[in-house]
Structures are given as structure tokens and as C-alpha cells.
């Protein structure tokens, strides 16, 4: 981890444009690669300013690249209910020929610029009309960060995200911006069959047998078990509260359920009122009693499974899997779903459905300077040491080490 190796191994990017005026439009100083009128940039600090972007935001969110955590209602809800989590709201936007072609929902915490809702969603991204717009928006944000003594720290960025492509497209060694990327997780993805029967036939025999056994046992022992799927715009507040309480009570990981926090429940309530959020609440009930729940989002032909849990009283039928299996036909017929994205998490049930995945990375971008070079070196040494420890422990067979 010598300084020389750090310097030659890091990525550098262009970020030299005119400063940005807060809550006002400023012309770009370099935009010759974009057709038409020179693009202009705007920085918004308030919910009122954010509301003026809603129509343009919703149009950009229809892009096939966008995910569920880029919806207007999700981000506005987070800015409203999680104001305690940030020092300043920073929403950058890019306009050309009178049309908004790029939006970056960020916040500032100390010296760091981060994506809105990065602590409560699985991934975040720019909204952009095309890759050139995303790259131009990134350059302006980097320029603003350099002039204001801040830096970008963007976590949980998908490899197919606009911002990831923009970072890959920036030129090297032109400006002296230090870029560090760390990839740390994979998100399983299932290409949807045309029906549940077709999906079961595609599985290995043992997995297929287990799933059929759970479905048959549920039908035999709990004939009144019923699947219900509720869409955003039609979801009663009482149902959100019921699902939140159920998830908090039956949370199976270390720590506490997100849905145990009133602020997060309020965020889900915000999304539940907006059909554009794509929010779906699915329940499996035995009569009136919840057996399993699933919270997710439908967007551009993909279902994004976000939060799920089940009552361990019904463990013998694997109610979480039964809920998802029963949903396959529903997703295809009613939502036109072609893909299920299981999002972040290494839960064992995901591997039973698919072995395909995409990668998620964290990006840190510092302005050039000796102090930031030291910060970059420290970050590389820290994570390098963790991966080395993991490799040594796994090699020795003493223990498994989680990075």
C-alpha cells in the first residue's frame, strides 16, 4: 500500500466547470458535446423547490435504468421525515432547451455529499435522460464539491446506474480528482417465466420438490390461506401500520427492523399514496391472521422485493416462499413483470430462486490535494486490511469474517 501504488492505481476524473448558484440557474461553461442550447444547472435546498421539479422528476423516473428508490414520493418523503439525518438538502438538476434532463437527489452531512435516503433504501442513482446528461451533471456536482470543500460518498450504487456509467466515462488525469470504488455486494435477479408452473419446471429437482411440498401443505393444512396484493394509491394507512408492526415483531436479522421507526413508517405511508412510486404490499393470511408479508416496488417491468418476513408459527410451510410463489402468476398477469430483483441481502431463500445477480459498489470522489490523498490512502488501507483479514481467516479455516 505504498503512496506510489495508490497514486497510480486510483481513477481520476474531470470536474472543472463554473460555480453553481443556489436556487438559481447557471449556464455551463463546457457543454459542446451536447446538442442545442447550452445546459443550465440548478441547486435546490427546499421542499418547495423540490415540488417544482415533480413533473420533470416523474418523467425521468420512467427510464429503464431508474430503480424504485428514485421515485419522487420516496425522495420527498425522506427529505421531509428524515431532516434530522442531514445538515443540508442538495438537489442538483440539469436543464437544456427548457427541459430538465438530469436530477441528483443528494444531502450534505459534514463534508460529505451523499444520496438521499441512502440509509433506508437499497440503492440510489441520478435521474437522467441519457448518459451524456448524467456525465454532465456529475461534472458540475464535482465542481461544486471542490469549490465548497466537500466530497462525494455514494454508497449502494448499481453497476448499471447512470452515476456509475458517468464515473466510468470521465477522463483520467485531467483534473486530479481522486476516485475510489469498492464493490461489496451482489443483488440476485430472476428472469420471470410465463407462469408458476413454468418456473417450477425450470428448477433443479430437489428445489422444485421442496417448493411443491410447501405449496401443497399450505393448501391442505390452511385452505383459507389467501394472497392479497395492494397497489400504491389504493393502500389503506391501517394496512401500512399492520404490516409495519408485523415486520418489526418478526424481524429475523441482527438489529432492529426499519419498520420499527416511526419516520420510516411515515416514509412508506408517503409512497403508498403515490401510484408512481410503484409500491406493492403483499400479504398471506390465514383467515384474518398474517402469515407472511412482502413489501416491494413495481417499475418498468421489474418487481423489486424490499422487505419481507413471516410468522415463525407457520415455519413448517415456509410461508415467505409460499407468498412469493403464489405471487408469480399475479405479477405476470397484473403487473406485466418480466424480472424479479431481490435487491441487497444474502438471505438463503434468494439463492433458491436464482443464481444470477448484479454488483453494487460504493464510490468516493475527493478533490485533489495532499490531505485528500491521505484520506484516500487511509480508506484503501482500511478496506484492504479487512479483505486481507477475511482471506487469511477463510484460508486458515478458523472462522468466517464478514467485511
Amino acid at each position: 500500500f505504498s503512496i506510489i501504488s495508490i497514486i497510480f492505481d486510483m481513477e481520476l476524473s474531470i470536474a472543472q466547470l463554473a460555480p453553481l448558484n443556489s436556487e438559481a440557474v447557471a449556464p455551463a461553461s463546457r457543454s459542446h458535446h451536447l446538442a442545442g442550447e447550452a445546459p443550465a444547472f440548478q441547486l435546490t435546498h427546499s421542499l418547495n423547490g423540490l415540488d417544482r421539479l415533480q413533473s420533470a422528476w416523474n418523467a425521468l423516473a420512467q427510464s429503464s435504468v431508474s430503480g424504485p428508490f428514485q421515485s419522487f414520493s420516496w425522495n420527498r418523503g425522506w427529505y421531509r421525515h428524515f431532516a434530522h439525518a442531514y445538515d443540508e438538502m442538495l438537489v442538483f438538476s440539469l436543464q437544456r432547451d427548457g427541459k430538465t434532463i438530469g436530477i441528483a437527489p443528494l444531502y450534505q452531512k459534514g463534508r460529505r455529499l451523499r444520496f438521499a435516503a441512502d440509509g433506508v433504501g437499497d440503492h440510489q442513482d441520478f435521474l437522467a435522460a441519457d448518459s451524456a446528461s448524467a456525465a454532465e451533471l456529475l461534472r458540475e456536482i464535482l465542481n461544486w464539491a471542490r469549490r465548497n470543500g466537500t466530497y462525494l460518498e455514494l454508497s449502494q450504487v448499481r453497476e448499471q446506474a447512470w452515476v456509475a456509467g458517468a464515473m466510468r466515462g470521465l477522463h483520467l488525469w485531467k483534473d486530479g480528482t481522486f476516485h475510489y470504488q469498492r464493490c461489496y455486494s451482489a443483488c440476485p435477479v430472476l428472469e420471470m417465466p410465463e407462469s408458476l408452473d413454468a418456473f417450477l419446471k425450470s428448477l433443479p429437482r430437489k428445489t422444485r420438490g421442496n417448493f411443491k411440498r410447501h405449496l401443497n401443505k399450505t393448501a391442505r393444512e390452511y385452505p383459507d390461506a389467501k394472497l392479497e396484493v395492494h397497489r400504491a394509491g389504493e393502500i389503506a394507512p391501517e394496512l401500512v401500520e399492520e404490516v409495519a408492526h408485523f415486520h418489526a415483531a418478526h424481524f429475523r436479522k441482527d438489529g432492529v427492523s426499519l419498520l420499527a421507526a416511526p419516520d420510516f413508517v411515515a416514509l412508506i405511508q408517503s409512497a403508498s399514496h403515490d401510484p408512481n412510486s410503484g409500491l406493492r404490499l403483499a400479504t398471506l393470511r390465514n383467515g384474518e391472521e398474517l402469515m407472511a408479508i412482502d413489501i416491494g416496488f413495481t417499475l418498468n417491468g421489474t418487481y423489486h422485493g424490499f422487505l419481507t418476513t413471516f410468522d415463525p408459527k407457520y415455519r413448517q410451510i415456509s410461508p415467505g416462499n409460499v407468498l412469493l410463489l403464489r405471487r408469480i402468476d399475479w405479477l405476470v398477469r397484473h403487473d406485466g413483470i418480466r424480472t424479479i430483483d431481490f435487491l441487497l441481502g444474502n438471505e438463503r431463500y434468494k439463492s433458491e430462486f436464482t443464481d444470477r445477480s448484479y454488483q453494487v459498489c460504493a464510490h468516493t470522489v475527493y478533490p485533489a490535494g495532499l490531505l485528500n490523498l491521505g484520506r484516500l490512502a487511509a480508506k484503501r488501507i482500511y478496506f484492504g486490511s479487512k479483505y486481507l483479514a477475511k482471506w487469511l481467516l477463510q484460508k486458515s479455516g478458523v472462522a468466517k469474517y464478514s467485511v
Side-chain angles (χ1 to χ4, degrees), residues 79-375:
Y79 282 123
R80 177 188 174 190
H81 297 293
F82 286 81
H84 56 82
Y86 57 87
D87 298 334
E88 188 170 14
M89 170 182 173
L90 299 171
V91 179
F92 294 82
S93 58
L94 171 69
Q95 290 84 31
R96 185 174 68 233
D97 298 330
K99 183 179 180 181
T100 300
I101 56 174
I103 299 173
L106 305 178
Y107 69 91
Q108 183 172 341
K109 184 73 172 178
R111 296 181 60 249
R112 299 173 297 164
L113 303 183
R114 301 179 61 108
F115 271 129
D118 60 353
V120 298
D122 275 28
H123 46 65
Q124 185 59 288
D125 191 11
F126 291 174
L127 296 102
D130 51 42
S131 58
S133 302
E136 191 75 13
L137 184 56
L138 176 61
R139 290 188 181 101
E140 179 62 17
I141 293 169
L142 292 175
N143 174 71
W144 189 93
R146 184 179 63 251
R147 292 178 179 273
N148 287 273
T150 59
Y151 64 93
L152 283 174
E153 188 175 83
L154 307 180
S155 61
Q156 299 178 344
V157 175
R158 299 175 298 163
E159 58 185 321
Q160 65 268 44
W162 284 123
V163 68
M167 287 187 177
R168 288 192 295 268
L170 291 172
H171 297 285
L172 305 179
W173 300 102
K174 293 291 181 75
D175 174 69
T177 297
F178 305 148
H179 174 205
Y180 176 70
Q181 174 180 303
R182 179 175 65 91
C183 297
Y184 53 87
S185 185
C187 297
V189 177
L190 170 67
E191 296 301 322
M192 287 288 286
E194 65 273 16
S195 66
L196 173 59
D197 287 342
F199 171 67
L200 291 172
K201 289 177 182 177
S202 71
L203 297 173
R205 191 163 85 175
K206 182 178 179 180
T207 304
R208 180 170 65 249
N210 287 338
F211 282 169
K212 284 186 173 181
R213 185 164 56 254
H214 293 148
L215 288 167
N216 292 336
K217 190 171 184 178
T218 301
R220 185 173 61 253
E221 297 186 9
Y222 304 99
D224 294 330
K226 182 181 179 181
L227 169 70
E228 295 179 343
V229 181
H230 307 266
R231 292 173 166 164
E234 306 169 355
I235 300 172
E238 296 78 15
L239 177 61
V240 174
E241 294 289 344
E242 181 187 19
V243 166
H245 178 76
F246 183 84
H247 192 274
H250 299 297
F251 189 65
R252 301 187 306 279
K253 296 182 180 179
D254 294 334
V256 180
S257 163
L258 283 171
L259 287 161
D263 290 342
F264 187 74
V265 177
L267 175 57
I268 295 292
Q269 292 279 19
S270 297
S272 72
H273 301 316
D274 177 21
N276 288 318
S277 72
L279 181 68
R280 299 289 186 270
L281 297 188
T283 61
L284 183 68
R285 293 180 184 272
N286 179 31
E288 295 298 317
E289 186 177 46
L290 285 173
M291 304 171 77
I293 61 96
D294 181 80
I295 303 173
F297 302 85
T298 294
L299 184 67
N300 299 322
T302 297
Y303 177 73
H304 304 263
F306 185 34
L307 299 171
T308 185
T309 195
F310 63 88
D311 186 337
K313 177 171 68 175
Y314 299 101
R315 185 185 302 275
Q316 75 279 5
I317 63 166
S318 191
N321 281 348
V322 169
L323 186 156
L324 184 52
L325 289 166
R326 286 191 176 186
R327 286 199 67 186
I328 287 179
D329 283 336
W330 198 97
L331 288 169
V332 172
R333 292 174 185 171
H334 298 281
D335 275 339
I337 295 302
R338 301 182 299 274
T339 306
I340 293 180
D341 184 338
F342 289 93
L343 298 176
L344 289 171
N346 58 356
E347 294 89 344
R348 186 174 64 85
Y349 80 89
K350 296 179 180 180
S351 63
E352 295 179 319
F353 282 85
T354 181
D355 58 1
R356 292 185 58 242
S357 64
Y358 62 86
Q359 201 167 42
V360 173
C361 303
H363 297 264
T364 304
V365 186
Y366 298 103
L370 288 177
L371 182 60
N372 284 336
L373 180 60
R375 290 189 175 101

